[in-house]
Amino acid sequence: MASTAADELSSLTVHLQGGPARMAAYMLQNRVEQLSRSSDMVPSWERQEVSTGTTIMAVEFDGGVVIGADSRTTTGAYIANRVTDKLTPIHDRIFCCRSGSAADTQAIADAVSYQLGFHSIELDEPPLVQTAANLFKQMCYRYREELMAGIIVAGWDKRRGGQVYTVPMGGMLVRQPVSVGGSGSSYIYGFMDSNYKTGMTKEECLRFTADGKGGVRALALAMERDGSSGGVVRLAAITEAGLERSVILGNQLPTFFSA
């Protein structure tokens, strides 16, 4: 104990000889080290990664796609943001739904949007949805050890119409007529299998995803069960005509009673 005090006194003397600026830097560094050692002074949620622990989904229909997501962002058990927009535009008729680390997914979406913009300028025409999905796949696969990102890429192009591509963690790429992702998706796979049918119209897809009027409601079911999903439901329909967005507030969603 005596040697430690002597060392600190010696170090303090050296810093004092360096002038006020050196002394201030020493005190600041010492304070940072003290805070890092006393982890009980920092709330546990501040040490958790900001995550869009979430429920996202996308459905193809003849002529376009419907995408939807909840709006809750968490850091551990703490709700950091109640109204996050997880439907991120990549191009005019191409969107991605983000789940996983908020920082990782935002960075990937920005990078893909940047690359796709230049690609569109070079082609002098709107990019393909599959091109956007491949860019996501390449980035997620290349940095699979560092990133935590599950992405659904959806949109419309003149070559293949409405398309939905899933890029789960690890960088796989697969096209599916309907896709769900995020922590809340595990609660609704049975519901999806029972209620999804091919050839649905745009209105049926909207009701299937989330209907505030009491219709079929996959996202509302997931938000009821999953503690990391909640807030409002954001919906978007993407067709050749363009984008239609809507929001269903929490008090407009159907309620369920758990046993």
Side-chain angles (χ1 to χ4, degrees):
M1 196 70 165
S3 62
T4 304
D7 291 341
E8 287 184 359
L9 181 60
S10 174
S11 177
L12 182 59
T13 304
V14 171
H15 282 82
L16 280 169
Q17 292 172 352
R22 186 86 177 267
M23 181 59 186
Y26 168 77
M27 292 175 65
L28 179 61
Q29 179 63 30
N30 195 37
R31 178 60 178 161
V32 169
E33 289 174 359
Q34 286 178 359
L35 286 174
S36 64
R37 285 194 298 268
S38 11
S39 57
D40 56 336
M41 297 179 67
V42 181
S44 60
W45 56 265
E46 281 200 355
R47 299 193 297 273
Q48 299 287 333
E49 184 172 21
V50 178
S51 169
T52 59
T54 182
T55 307
I56 54 176
M57 68 179 294
V59 192
E60 292 181 3
F61 64 89
D62 184 19
V65 294
V66 167
I67 58 177
D70 75 309
S71 65
R72 179 173 291 178
T73 294
T74 59
T75 54
Y78 179 80
I79 299 173
N81 191 341
R82 297 179 297 165
V83 288
T84 307
D85 189 356
K86 302 173 188 178
L87 309 181
T88 304
I90 304 301
H91 206 265
D92 293 344
R93 292 179 179 83
I94 304 174
F95 271 65
C96 77
C97 307
R98 303 179 293 109
S99 67
S101 164
D104 291 351
T105 55
Q106 286 172 359
I108 296 169
D110 287 345
V112 170
S113 179
Y114 180 80
Q115 294 179 56
L116 207 63
F118 276 106
H119 178 68
S120 176
I121 292 170
E122 290 174 350
L123 294 179
D124 196 25
E125 63 180 16
L128 301 177
V129 181
Q130 187 177 21
T131 303
N134 273 294
L135 288 172
F136 274 104
K137 179 202 72 172
Q138 291 172 7
M139 191 165 294
C140 289
Y141 180 76
R142 181 177 181 181
Y143 301 105
R144 61 192 180 278
E145 298 297 331
E146 292 81 27
L147 298 176
M148 186 176 70
I151 306 290
I152 297 176
V153 185
W156 180 94
D157 62 53
K158 63 182 181 182
R159 185 178 298 180
R160 295 187 179 91
Q163 301 148 74
V164 172
Y165 295 90
T166 304
V167 185
M169 279 183 272
M172 183 181 72
L173 174 65
V174 60
R175 181 178 177 182
Q176 297 176 298
V178 59
S179 178
V180 291
S183 57
S185 63
S186 58
Y187 295 93
I188 57 171
Y189 277 114
F191 175 85
M192 303 291 290
D193 291 341
S194 299
N195 291 275
Y196 173 76
K197 56 183 184 293
T198 57
M200 289 196 294
T201 65
K202 172 184 165 184
E203 289 71 24
E204 287 174 327
C205 287
L206 286 168
R207 288 196 299 271
F208 178 61
T209 304
D211 182 6
K213 299 175 182 177
V216 183
R217 53 255 177 179
L219 287 175
L221 282 166
M223 291 163 66
E224 176 72 18
R225 296 284 183 179
D226 179 33
S228 296
S229 300
V232 304
V233 170
R234 300 186 187 276
L235 293 171
I238 308 169
T239 63
E240 183 179 7
L243 175 72
E244 299 175 22
R245 297 199 62 163
S246 60
V247 176
I248 301 176
L249 301 179
N251 60 359
Q252 297 172 333
L253 292 170
T255 55
F256 307 94
F257 298 95
S258 304

